Amino acid sequence: MSNFSTFFPSGSGSSGGGGGILKQHRITTSGTLDLTTLGIADGDTIGLIVVGGGSMGYYASSFVAGGSGGGVWKGSVTIGTAGTVTATIGAGGTSNNGFPSILSGGGLPIDINTGNSYRYDGIGYSQPLITPGTLYNGMGGYKNSSQDVSNAPGSGIDGYGIGGTASSSATVTSANTTAYVNSGRGGDGNSSASSRDGFSGVIIIFY
């Protein structure tokens, strides 16, 4: 994944990030976090990347479709009264859609919710979740029975929320599966059921 330390302005107040180099805290499982334990205080500005779970890929005799990558929210927010945030990490889809990642409370000015990522629409194309300016994800690849080459999956944003591939052979193997965990990648659309599952999301705090 990309190093986002240069993508956000340095935090204000007592938060880290002197000289434009920010600290980061990754949340990979659902739970709570007291922001003050990171040295984040009232009025500080922090950067956030919130990534939802990727959706499951699909395989049929007439077409294969990679799952859409999880939605990605990227931006900076100013904390009101710093406190405890509640984080929900979206799971990857294992039967259909990927699940949302949500960050709320703790002095955040808004609740951030990536929404679900959708596996594919009625004719088999992966359905991207896009809210202009805030949410991004990669559409899954698609290949029908008459195509020699599949449509390439979407690239997501900065290595997160990448669409799954549409391939007759598995590209998610035991050698690279670990690298995709907490990336929000969509599952592959191929005959191997074990490689069709989407991947979980992540929340990253820059401060």
Side-chain angles (χ1 to χ4, degrees):
M1 304 305 155
S2 299
N3 184 341
F4 291 98
S5 63
T6 59
F7 282 53
F8 297 103
S10 299
S12 61
S14 61
S15 62
I21 304 300
L22 303 183
K23 298 177 182 178
Q24 62 175 272
H25 180 84
R26 295 174 62 89
I27 303 174
T28 58
T29 57
S30 299
T32 60
L33 171 68
D34 185 346
L35 295 179
T36 63
T37 63
L38 301 179
I40 297 170
D42 300 355
D44 283 352
T45 297
I46 61 174
L48 292 170
I49 301 288
V50 182
V51 183
S55 61
M56 183 183 182
Y58 184 79
Y59 176 86
S61 59
S62 58
F63 70 87
V64 291
S68 293
V72 180
W73 192 98
K74 173 183 175 180
S76 299
V77 296
T78 299
I79 300 298
T81 302
T84 299
V85 294
T86 299
T88 300
I89 301 301
T94 57
S95 62
N96 201 326
N97 301 338
F99 294 89
S101 287
I102 304 168
L103 188 67
S104 61
L108 293 173
I110 56 172
D111 291 346
I112 299 170
N113 185 330
T114 65
N116 292 330
S117 61
Y118 295 95
R119 185 175 71 184
Y120 59 96
D121 67 18
I123 58 172
Y125 289 96
S126 298
Q127 178 66 44
L129 174 69
I130 299 175
T131 301
T134 56
L135 287 164
Y136 312 79
N137 72 348
M139 179 181 284
Y142 176 80
K143 182 180 186 300
N144 63 38
S145 57
S146 64
Q147 288 178 289
D148 293 327
V149 179
S150 64
N151 296 331
S155 59
I157 179 170
D158 296 318
Y160 293 91
I162 297 171
T165 63
S167 171
S168 58
S169 61
T171 60
V172 177
T173 67
S174 58
N176 62 18
T177 294
T178 301
Y180 292 128
V181 173
N182 298 121
S183 73
R185 184 188 188 276
D188 283 345
N190 58 62
S191 58
S192 175
S194 63
S195 68
R196 291 202 295 266
D197 291 348
F199 290 84
S200 55
V202 69
I203 296 172
I204 311 173
I205 302 172
F206 301 87
Y207 61 102

